[in-house]
Amino acid sequence: MAHHAHETNTGIDNRKLGFWLFIASESIFFACLLVGYLVYKDGYQPGAGPRDLFNIELTTVSTFVLLMSSLAMVLGVNAAQRNLGRKARRWVLVTALMGLAFLGFQAYEFTHFYHAGLSLSSSVFGTAFYTLTGFHGAHVAVGVIWLLTLLYHGRGAGLTADKADDVEVAGLYWHFVDIVWIVLFTVLYLLEFVQ
């Protein structure tokens, strides 16, 4: 296993510890956005609403793609830790491609909703929906760019054990993005049809 030059007194790599703190702050950010949505979602909403617009089947497929990308990321981290550089690189590529597919689903959905009359300024729901899902999509895009950067740095021998911590920190971010989507999908989509 690679030598860890960035360890703290706790034995945890500085980058991992710092990243956990970053994830905590991002969790608070998304929680605040979500609370805002929940507070205002039942206010007056002219035009089309969630039940008129949502294609729950399509969003379920995109959710499945994003969740499976987490599995691919786990396999990539595991391969990097076992010094299987090329295999790790392949799994990170699969993760990035699934992230791009999720963004494609989101772009399609946003376009469909906009043409149906839901915009950022058309209603409180539109504002909250696009803000929540848009910020999440931006986080997915950052994750994809990060993964592609890892792939670039892993060309040649691949993402070997000396890069395993870098792959693991990227994996922490990717899993965070997936967990946030599970919460958003549940609150924005699924609970809308339970009421």
Side-chain angles (χ1 to χ4, degrees):
M1 182 153 217
H3 174 66
H4 299 286
H6 304 284
E7 287 188 5
T8 63
N9 290 338
T10 63
I12 300 172
D13 184 282
N14 280 329
R15 295 171 297 175
K16 289 180 194 173
L17 185 60
F19 212 77
W20 277 110
L21 294 172
F22 171 75
I23 287 173
S25 71
E26 288 293 287
S27 297
I28 293 168
F29 170 75
F30 275 105
C32 290
L33 289 177
L34 199 56
V35 166
Y37 169 78
L38 292 171
V39 166
Y40 292 110
K41 79 178 187 80
D42 292 326
Y44 173 69
Q45 299 178 29
R51 288 179 183 252
D52 306 316
L53 297 171
F54 288 165
N55 179 341
I56 200 72
E57 293 84 8
L58 179 71
T59 309
T60 300
V61 170
S62 72
T63 299
F64 180 77
V65 168
L66 193 62
L67 292 178
M68 289 300 99
S69 75
S70 252
L71 172 62
M73 192 69 220
V74 166
L75 294 171
V77 169
N78 181 269
Q81 290 171 338
R82 293 184 313 145
N83 206 31
L84 302 172
R86 292 188 190 280
K87 185 180 257 188
R89 199 166 186 273
R90 278 194 301 274
W91 283 117
V92 170
L93 176 62
V94 168
T95 305
L97 292 173
M98 291 176 129
L100 286 172
F102 177 82
L103 290 173
F105 279 114
Q106 192 170 43
Y108 171 81
E109 187 177 59
F110 278 18
T111 303
H112 171 73
F113 292 171
Y114 180 78
H115 289 299
L118 184 69
S119 70
L120 196 57
S121 60
S122 65
S123 66
V124 173
F125 169 71
T127 302
F129 175 81
Y130 283 119
T131 301
L132 275 166
T133 57
F135 271 112
H136 177 265
H139 279 74
V140 173
V142 166
V144 168
I145 291 167
W146 188 349
L147 295 174
L148 294 175
T149 303
L150 274 176
L151 291 171
Y152 176 77
H153 289 290
R155 65 194 186 284
L159 297 170
T160 54
D162 62 318
K163 295 178 183 77
D165 284 345
D166 297 335
V167 177
E168 186 177 354
V169 172
L172 289 174
Y173 180 79
W174 197 257
H175 298 313
F176 165 73
V177 167
D178 280 3
I179 290 167
V180 168
W181 183 251
I182 291 168
V183 173
L184 294 181
F185 178 65
T186 301
V187 172
L188 294 174
Y189 294 85
L190 298 180
L191 291 181
E192 192 60 43
F193 290 94
V194 173
Q195 300 175 2

